């Protein structure tokens, strides 16, 4: 079955970016000249998906507005003959349907995904975290396209994994896997932020998933875990045991834009490859660090 819909949970509080995120959602903080969210939307569009379900919360209306027409701005730009500034954005969103659902209380990522059920129905769907950026490598499909392809071939829910250092396992959901084929793994168990030394493997979940709609049933059965939150990882374990769950390492340039260091790295790397400012930024960095 073809994947058509993608859920982007954007209802988190973004406490790591306070005070910036007091009034601006972290998903709208710019990486060079585009909000983090737009990189994620581009990844979805590149995979041929046509509907986005935003899971938004209080103070996140700016995210919904971002997809709307800004009449005053666009009329002013048109008069000045400068509408081409918005052309790439219009191209990206022109065939997209965007719906938004409220998560009234931020009860965790699992709860956020469950909130998407009325807009998803019974079809399989993708989930992309609103603060994880995956930049496509030349000639490769987009990050989420690498997962939808496996789902469409196997009919089995599939998630992205990435190897992390032992010292990092307590920051991620970590998976227990056995190898099934080249770069394809069977997932047996998922553990949320294990203590150092307790991870079942070095494979972490970087926030890209394709799920069968029956995960909603697993989510409904999931009791609040760590921090009173409904964990997506708990529902993934029950899905894995019930139906099977696959994992693959996505080939893309990944940035954790929900973290200060990851956000700055994304700005530097994407700044360096930006056609307008790339050369000047490179010159500056060389001067700053002694030309090496
Ligand atoms: P994070 O774990 O980064 O949480 O959520 P957060 O609250 O946004 O940020 P910090 O840790 O306080 O700085 C990962 C993604 O899941 C969404 C967030 O918006 C983010 O895109 N999320 C998280 C929800 O939509 N609802 C939730 O209840 C929790």
């Amino acid at each position: 079955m073809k994947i058509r819909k993608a859920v982007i949970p954007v209802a988190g509080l973004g406490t790591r970016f306070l005070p910036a995120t007091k009034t601006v959602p972290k998903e709208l903080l710019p990486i060079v000249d585009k909000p983090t969210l737009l990189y994620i939307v581009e990844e979805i569009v590149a995979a041929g998906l046509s509907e986005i379900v935003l899971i938004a919360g209080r103070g996140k209306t700016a995210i919904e507005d971002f997809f709307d027409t800004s009449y005053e701005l666009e009329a002013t730009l048109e008069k000045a003959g400068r509408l081409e500034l918005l052309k790439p954005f219009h191209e990206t969103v022109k065939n997209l349907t965007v719906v938004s659902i409220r998560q009234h209380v931020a009860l965790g990522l699992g709860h956020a995904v469950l909130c998407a059920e009325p807009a998803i129905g019974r079809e399989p769907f993708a989930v992309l975290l609103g603060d994880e950026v995956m930049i496509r490598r030349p000639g490769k499909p987009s990050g989420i396209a690498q997962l939808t392809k496996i789902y469409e071939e196997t009919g089995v829910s599939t998630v992205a994994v990435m190897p992390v250092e032992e010292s990092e396992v307590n920051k991620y959901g970590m998976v227990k896997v056995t190898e099934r084929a080249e770069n394809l793994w069977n997932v047996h168990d998922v553990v949320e932020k294990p203590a150092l030394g307790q991870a079942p493997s070095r494979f972490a979940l970087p926030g890209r998933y394709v799920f069968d709609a029956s995960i909603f049933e697993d989510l409904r059965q999931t009791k609040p875990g760590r921090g009173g939150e409904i964990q997506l990882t708990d529902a993934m374990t029950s899905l894995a045991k019930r139906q099977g769950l696959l994992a693959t390492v996505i080939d893309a340039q990944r940035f954790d834009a929900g973290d200060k260091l990851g956000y700055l790295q994304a700005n530097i790397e994407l700044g360096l490859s930006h056609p307008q400012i790339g050369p000047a930024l490179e010159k500056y960095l060389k001067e700053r660090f002694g030309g090496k």
Side-chain angles (χ1 to χ4, degrees):
M1 195 170 176
K2 218 169 151 34
I3 309 288
R4 300 187 304 127
K5 298 180 180 178
V7 175
I8 314 180
V10 294
L13 299 177
T15 53
R16 285 170 287 173
F17 275 97
L18 283 171
T21 45
K22 198 166 167 286
T23 49
V24 180
K26 72 170 165 184
E27 296 81 7
L28 290 186
L29 296 177
I31 301 177
V32 191
D33 52 7
K34 289 189 279 195
T36 301
L37 183 67
L38 188 52
Y39 292 91
I40 295 163
V41 171
E42 287 173 351
E43 181 184 338
I44 291 169
V45 170
L49 278 56
S50 55
E51 188 166 325
I52 289 181
V53 180
L54 296 168
I55 306 299
R58 239 181 97 71
K60 301 271 181 162
T61 44
I63 295 184
E64 292 151 18
D65 293 346
F66 180 70
F67 290 95
D68 255 345
T69 306
S70 318
Y71 288 104
E72 261 181 42
L73 171 70
E74 290 180 34
T76 310
L77 286 176
E78 190 159 18
K79 242 191 233 154
R82 302 186 72 206
L83 205 51
E84 81 281 355
L85 290 173
L86 283 176
K87 201 168 162 215
F89 169 77
H90 287 146
E91 275 299 308
T92 303
V93 300
K94 71 175 182 210
N95 295 320
L96 266 186
T97 303
V98 181
V99 302
S100 179
I101 292 183
R102 281 268 167 152
Q103 184 189 23
H104 295 285
V105 194
L107 288 178
L109 183 56
H111 180 255
V113 172
L114 184 54
C115 289
E117 189 178 19
I120 297 293
R122 300 314 305 157
E123 57 182 293
F125 61 102
V127 178
L128 299 90
L129 294 195
D131 58 355
E132 288 278 347
V133 174
M134 303 259 181
I135 302 296
R136 195 172 169 181
R137 295 200 197 278
K140 292 277 174 195
S142 80
I144 198 67
Q146 296 174 40
L147 297 186
T148 55
K149 180 168 181 286
I150 295 173
Y151 180 88
E152 285 162 13
E153 283 167 7
T154 62
V156 182
S157 302
T158 305
V159 300
V161 287
M162 62 172 185
V164 296
E165 296 293 326
E166 178 62 42
S167 57
E168 300 262 282
V169 301
N170 57 355
K171 292 192 198 156
Y172 295 96
M174 303 295 297
V175 293
K176 183 175 176 188
V177 289
T178 50
E179 193 165 5
R180 168 168 163 148
E182 200 200 336
N183 191 20
L184 193 60
W185 311 78
N186 286 312
V187 178
H188 304 287
D189 201 1
V190 190
V191 187
E192 182 65 20
K193 303 190 173 98
L196 297 182
Q198 303 286 306
S201 75
R202 288 283 189 78
F203 272 161
L205 298 165
R208 294 292 184 271
Y209 320 80
V210 170
F211 290 127
D212 183 84
S214 68
I215 193 154
F216 293 129
E217 216 31 69
D218 300 296
L219 283 165
R220 255 191 293 280
Q221 307 292 331
T222 302
K223 303 254 173 325
R226 231 172 189 279
E229 297 194 339
I230 295 180
Q231 301 290 353
L232 181 60
T233 42
D234 290 341
M236 285 167 66
T237 299
S238 90
L239 177 71
K241 295 202 189 317
R242 220 168 33 75
Q243 275 199 342
L245 179 65
L246 300 175
T248 189
V249 178
I250 279 181
D251 187 4
Q253 196 183 13
R254 177 228 171 217
F255 300 101
D256 179 3
D259 169 80
K260 284 196 254 288
L261 182 61
Y263 176 76
L264 290 176
Q265 285 166 339
N267 271 285
I268 293 169
E269 289 298 334
L270 298 177
L272 284 169
S273 57
H274 192 283
Q276 277 159 6
I277 63 151
L281 178 61
E282 188 174 343
K283 184 166 171 281
Y284 164 75
L285 290 173
K286 279 194 172 140
E287 282 164 11
R288 178 71 176 76
F289 295 104
K292 290 190 195 77

